[in-house]
Amino acid sequence: MSVVGIDLGFLNCYIAVARSGGIETIANEYSDRCTPACISLGSRTRAIGNAAKSQIVTNVRNTLHGFKKLHGRSFDDPIVQTERIRLPYELQKMPNGSAGVKDKMQVDQEDGHQKCHAEHTPEEEIDHTGTKTKSTPSEKQDRLNQTTKRGKVKSIDLPIQSSLCRQLGQDLLNSYIENEGKMIMQDKLEKERNDAKNAVEEYVYDFRDKLGTVYEKFITQEDLNKLSAVLGDTENWLYEEGEDQPKQIYVDKLQELKKYGQPIQMRYVEHEERPKALTDLGRKIQLVMKVIEAYRNKDERYDHLDPAEMEKVEKYISEAMNWLNSKMNAQNKLSLTQDPVVKVSEIVAKSKELDNFCNPIIYKPKPKVEIAEDNAKGNSEHNGQMDGQSGTETKSDTTKDSSQHTKSSGEMEVD
């Protein structure tokens, strides 16, 4: 068995069903569980709920709402008379003494001035007790004749006038623009100040975290205790005295922290990147030494190189190897907490210097050989030898019997 409950509220109405599973509020045709307590009366239609509420502005005189407080009260009740002044629609005294609502309809006529007022009173009076009074047959026929008349629509031009009475003066407008620019600048400065403060806070948290992980091997215990105390003091300062300080104060505080942290960070970065730079320089030295060895062994790929320049290359490579070995030996003697003897930037610069000095010499291309002229010369010598052989053969043949070599004029002589 189900139970239906209806709540007729002052502003909204609800309908709920109580079943075994619980209480469910029924949704209306707009999928809304709350239905506005509104009624809108049109010339031929009536709307209730959400559809009526949407006409409160467009059809204000004929849209009824907020009438629950009138239920059960007479028209002469002081409360009804007080509310009558505030309501946009008109109230009328019903025959039984209760308060009813007068509905006014307006229909445009041909001249645009004639109006037809259709009233629910006395033709059809609606009160809030639910009772209706029927009109007489003659009045009903007159009302039907009036509603069946079709009025013509007449279009007229509406004049549009612009009023500048509320326009701001130029001086006042300029002052507003200036104030807006000042506020924009103030917001920008505030953002920069907050960014500087956040940078200090981020550096404190990030560096303190790395001191216990990646930077642990590159700082002594004494320096670790000192730097941890500095970071802790800075953190406390941020949340106390440094809560609201100018931008420059935060910038100076960050630079002060970096004086402690940059040497540690530099040792870590150098330790990570140094092996790769040393390997690259050593590989280039080995390549040049192989070229020097091939040149000494009379390799045809390098027989065109200038001996004086190769001597310079050999001397340079020897100095580079001595420099590399000395730096590596000195660095191996240091601990990770000490500053490096040679930096990665110096090793990379040495590698580039080696390329610029040695590569133009050892990779110098061979000079081009004029093969075409040599071939032409060789062909001419070969043709000369062939001509000499043929001359001796003809000479020996002429000493023989000339009658054997006599040919007719029509035959060709072929060697």
Side-chain angles (χ1 to χ4, degrees):
M1 178 179 178
S2 301
V3 179
V4 177
I6 301 176
D7 178 17
L8 299 178
F10 177 71
L11 297 177
N12 302 293
C13 301
Y14 297 89
I15 300 178
V17 179
R19 298 188 180 93
S20 59
I23 300 176
E24 178 185 1
T25 305
I26 306 301
N28 55 22
E29 65 272 18
Y30 295 93
S31 299
D32 192 358
R33 302 183 186 276
C34 173
T35 301
C38 294
I39 300 176
S40 180
L41 303 176
S43 59
R44 297 184 179 180
T45 60
R46 295 179 182 178
I48 61 174
N50 297 82
K53 187 177 180 180
S54 62
Q55 299 184 22
I56 289 180
V57 178
T58 58
N59 191 16
V60 62
R61 301 288 294 177
N62 299 309
T63 301
L64 314 181
H65 57 88
F67 46 79
K68 182 181 179 181
K69 63 177 65 178
L70 305 178
H71 287 188
R73 298 182 184 274
S74 64
F75 183 80
D76 298 328
D77 193 313
I79 297 179
V80 175
Q81 295 301 320
T82 303
E83 292 294 330
R84 181 183 178 184
I85 303 174
R86 303 174 183 175
L87 296 175
Y89 47 84
E90 293 187 22
L91 299 180
Q92 183 174 346
K93 187 175 182 179
M94 303 299 294
N96 59 359
S98 62
V101 179
K102 181 184 291 187
D103 180 21
K104 294 184 177 181
M105 298 288 103
Q106 296 181 355
V107 180
D108 294 335
Q109 299 298 329
E110 181 178 357
D111 57 357
H113 297 286
Q114 297 180 359
K115 298 180 181 179
C116 177
H117 298 276
E119 299 183 358
H120 286 175
T121 305
E123 295 85 6
E124 183 178 3
E125 299 292 347
I126 303 175
D127 62 0
H128 295 287
T129 61
T131 61
K132 300 181 180 179
T133 59
K134 296 183 179 179
S135 60
T136 60
S138 59
E139 293 175 346
K140 184 176 181 181
Q141 184 64 30
D142 295 338
R143 182 171 57 84
L144 181 62
N145 294 335
Q146 291 178 359
T147 56
T148 54
K149 292 182 179 180
R150 297 181 178 273
K152 295 183 180 180
V153 179
K154 185 178 181 180
S155 300
I156 60 174
D157 296 333
L158 296 177
I160 301 176
Q161 297 180 355
S162 60
S163 177
L164 304 179
C165 60
R166 296 185 179 181
Q167 186 177 6
L168 297 177
Q170 188 64 34
D171 296 339
L172 183 60
L173 184 61
N174 293 336
S175 65
Y176 288 161
I177 295 175
E178 183 180 358
N179 291 336
E180 183 183 7
K182 291 180 180 179
M183 289 187 291
I184 294 175
M185 182 60 64
Q186 185 177 0
D187 292 342
K188 182 179 179 181
L189 295 176
E190 183 65 18
K191 181 180 181 302
E192 293 178 354
R193 190 187 70 84
N194 290 332
D195 292 343
K197 179 182 177 181
N198 294 334
V200 177
E201 185 178 17
E202 181 182 0
Y203 188 85
V204 170
Y205 291 147
D206 181 68
F207 206 86
R208 184 165 53 190
D209 180 64
K210 290 181 178 180
L211 283 177
T213 55
V214 294
Y215 294 164
E216 184 178 7
K217 300 179 181 179
F218 302 92
I219 184 173
T220 61
Q221 187 63 36
E222 182 181 358
D223 293 339
L224 177 61
N225 297 334
K226 183 178 179 180
L227 183 56
S228 299
V230 172
L231 294 176
D233 295 340
T234 304
E235 182 181 6
N236 296 332
W237 174 82
L238 281 173
Y239 297 110
E240 294 176 0
E241 298 178 3
E243 181 68 25
D244 189 11
Q245 295 291 334
K247 172 187 173 182
Q248 190 60 38
I249 299 297
Y250 296 119
V251 173
D252 296 341
K253 182 66 68 173
L254 181 60
Q255 295 298 328
E256 181 181 354
L257 292 177
K258 287 184 177 181
K259 290 180 181 179
Y260 296 98
Q262 282 183 347
I264 305 171
Q265 185 178 5
M266 182 268 295
R267 289 195 288 266
Y268 169 75
V269 174
E270 291 289 334
H271 177 75
E272 293 293 325
E273 298 180 359
R274 189 185 305 113
K276 181 181 178 181
L278 292 174
T279 302
D280 183 62
L281 179 58
R283 181 178 57 83
K284 291 181 179 181
I285 292 176
Q286 293 295 331
L287 289 176
V288 177
M289 291 182 64
K290 289 182 179 180
V291 174
I292 295 174
E293 186 67 22
Y295 174 79
R296 291 176 179 176
N297 295 333
K298 305 298 182 181
D299 193 329
E300 61 180 4
R301 294 176 299 175
Y302 306 105
D303 57 358
H304 64 283
L305 299 179
D306 188 5
E309 292 182 348
M310 289 301 297
E311 184 177 355
K312 294 180 181 179
V313 171
E314 185 175 358
K315 182 179 179 181
Y316 182 85
I317 289 298
S318 177
E319 294 176 354
M321 286 189 63
N322 294 333
W323 181 86
L324 179 60
N325 293 331
S326 63
K327 296 298 181 181
M328 291 179 63
N329 294 332
Q331 183 63 39
N332 292 332
K333 296 179 181 179
L334 298 178
S335 63
L336 297 178
T337 58
Q338 295 177 323
D339 293 337
V341 175
V342 58
K343 295 183 178 180
V344 175
S345 58
E346 298 177 7
I347 302 175
V348 173
K350 192 70 175 179
S351 179
K352 291 182 179 180
E353 182 182 351
L354 186 146
D355 291 336
N356 296 333
F357 184 84
C358 298
N359 289 349
I361 298 176
I362 62 177
Y363 295 119
K364 183 179 180 179
K366 287 186 176 183
K368 296 182 179 180
V369 180
E370 298 179 357
I371 301 176
E373 295 181 0
D374 294 342
N375 290 340
K377 184 177 180 180
N379 292 335
S380 62
E381 292 178 355
H382 180 70
N383 292 334
Q385 292 177 359
M386 293 296 293
D387 293 341
Q389 292 177 0
S390 62
T392 55
E393 290 177 359
T394 52
K395 184 176 181 180
S396 60
D397 290 340
T398 53
T399 57
K400 296 181 180 180
D401 190 0
S402 59
S403 62
Q404 295 179 358
H405 298 280
T406 303
K407 298 177 183 270
S408 62
S409 60
E411 294 180 355
M412 296 179 63
E413 185 176 356
V414 180
D415 291 339

